[in-house]
């Protein structure tokens, strides 16, 4: 998928206070430092829109990016980083659940998993939440470039715990592996959603 224009459109730091819904949204979720922002940048053709960092837990807000006026990528704050403050950790769940649980335009969730860690309690909780709100999820195994052939086969097999409808996509923001597959998945979700009557108001210009 070729993206010709992408732009930051807003951030949210408090439950319920999100930019007005306009286009279908794709949420990028995952552990802190797993590579959410890097994946977004790579999917957007190497743009450096989402801020990436070696410091885990840097992004504590939801960041919204318009993609060609067709859809919106939402970079969710990462979870599971022990060294953020207690208050920051306590704020994560209401913020993210408020977004996921109320967003009519949410077309699907890209759940990034570190290829070497696999699914842990937090990922299972997110999968349960996504099932409850009836949104599709793709499991994206990031940093796959760091694994050798045998490790990667084992990792991908271990992630196939989920229903067959849930894609498991080996991915690397460094090599670009998996970019096309993620885009195809997103395209399928947004087409599916177009069949549903839009709950969102028209975008104000
Ligand atoms: P938070 O915003 O803190 O939750 O982190 P994030 O999930 O947005 O991670 P980010 O994209 O900032 O990446 C974290 C670190 O991992 C950075 O140093 C990236 O360069 C690195 N990284 C991200 N994706 C990949 C990848 O596919 N391969 C390799 N080798 N490194 C990656
Ligand atoms: Mg980030």
């Amino acid at each position: 998928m070729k993206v010709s224009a992408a732009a930051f459109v807003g951030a949210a730091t408090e439950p319920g206070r999100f930019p007005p819904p306009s286009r279908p949204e794709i949420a990028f979720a995952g552990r802190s430092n797993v590579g959410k922002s890097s994946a977004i940048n790579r999917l957007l053709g190497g743009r450096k829109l989402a801020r990436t960092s070696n410091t885990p837990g840097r992004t504590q807000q939801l960041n919204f990016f318009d993609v060609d006026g067709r859809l919106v990528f939402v970079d969710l704050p990462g979870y599971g980083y022990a060294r953020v403050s207690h208050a920051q950790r306590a704020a994560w769940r209401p913020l993210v659940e408020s977004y996921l649980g109320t967003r009519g335009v949410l077309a699907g969730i890209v759940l990034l998993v570190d290829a070497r860690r696999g699914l842990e309690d937090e990922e299972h909780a997110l999968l349960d939440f996504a099932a409850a709100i009836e949104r599709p999820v793709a499991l994206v195994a990031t940093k796959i470039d760091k694994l050798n052939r045998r490790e990667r086969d084992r990792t991908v097999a271990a992630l196939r715990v989920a229903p067959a409808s849930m894609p498991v996509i080996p991915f690397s923001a460094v090599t670009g592996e998996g970019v096309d597959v993620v885009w195809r998945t997103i395209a399928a979700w947004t087409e599916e959603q177009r069949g549903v009557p839009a709950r969102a108001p028209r975008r104000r210009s």
Side-chain angles (χ1 to χ4, degrees):
M1 177 93 47
K2 182 95 174 69
V3 175
S4 27
F8 175 74
V9 287
T13 55
E14 282 174 53
R17 306 195 54 165
F18 307 118
S22 54
R23 315 290 169 182
E25 290 180 358
I26 308 297
F28 290 77
R31 194 168 288 284
S32 175
N33 208 42
V34 74
K36 297 173 294 296
S37 303
S38 303
I40 288 176
N41 288 336
R42 186 77 202 207
L43 289 164
L44 297 179
R47 289 173 172 80
K48 299 234 159 29
L49 276 179
R51 208 165 302 156
T52 63
S53 168
N54 281 317
T55 315
R58 182 56 68 75
T59 317
Q60 296 292 333
Q61 56 189 26
L62 290 88
N63 290 311
F64 293 74
F65 301 96
D66 176 272
V67 183
D68 279 337
R70 284 185 295 117
L71 48 99
V72 174
F73 279 3
V74 186
D75 194 0
L76 298 182
Y79 51 76
Y81 184 58
R83 264 185 259 167
V84 300
S85 73
H86 179 75
Q88 280 177 329
R89 235 178 311 156
W92 183 89
R93 184 179 289 274
L95 180 60
V96 171
E97 289 189 354
S98 159
Y99 169 74
L100 295 175
T102 61
R103 203 70 171 168
V105 291
L106 180 65
I109 302 166
V110 175
L111 176 54
L112 290 98
V113 184
D114 188 318
R116 292 162 303 181
R117 291 184 71 148
L119 299 178
E120 298 173 85
D121 290 351
E122 294 91 339
E123 283 77 28
H124 286 294
L126 248 166
L127 290 174
D128 290 346
F129 196 86
I133 60 172
E134 301 182 332
R135 291 304 195 284
V137 178
L139 286 180
V140 165
T142 56
K143 308 194 185 182
I144 205 80
D145 56 281
K146 292 190 173 186
L147 303 190
N148 66 32
R149 186 90 235 164
R150 186 146 44 101
E151 289 169 327
R152 82 179 258 146
D153 290 348
R154 208 175 339 152
T155 302
V156 173
L159 288 177
R160 288 197 204 282
V161 289
S165 62
M166 191 179 300
V168 176
I169 306 171
F171 186 92
S172 168
V174 172
T175 66
E177 175 174 354
V179 165
D180 291 352
V181 189
V182 174
W183 266 121
R184 278 202 294 278
T185 305
I186 291 171
W189 289 343
T190 53
E191 271 153 37
E192 229 165 81
Q193 213 197 30
R194 242 174 267 143
V196 177
R199 263 187 273 169
R202 281 258 155 259
R203 178 206 277 269
R204 281 171 280 165
S205 53

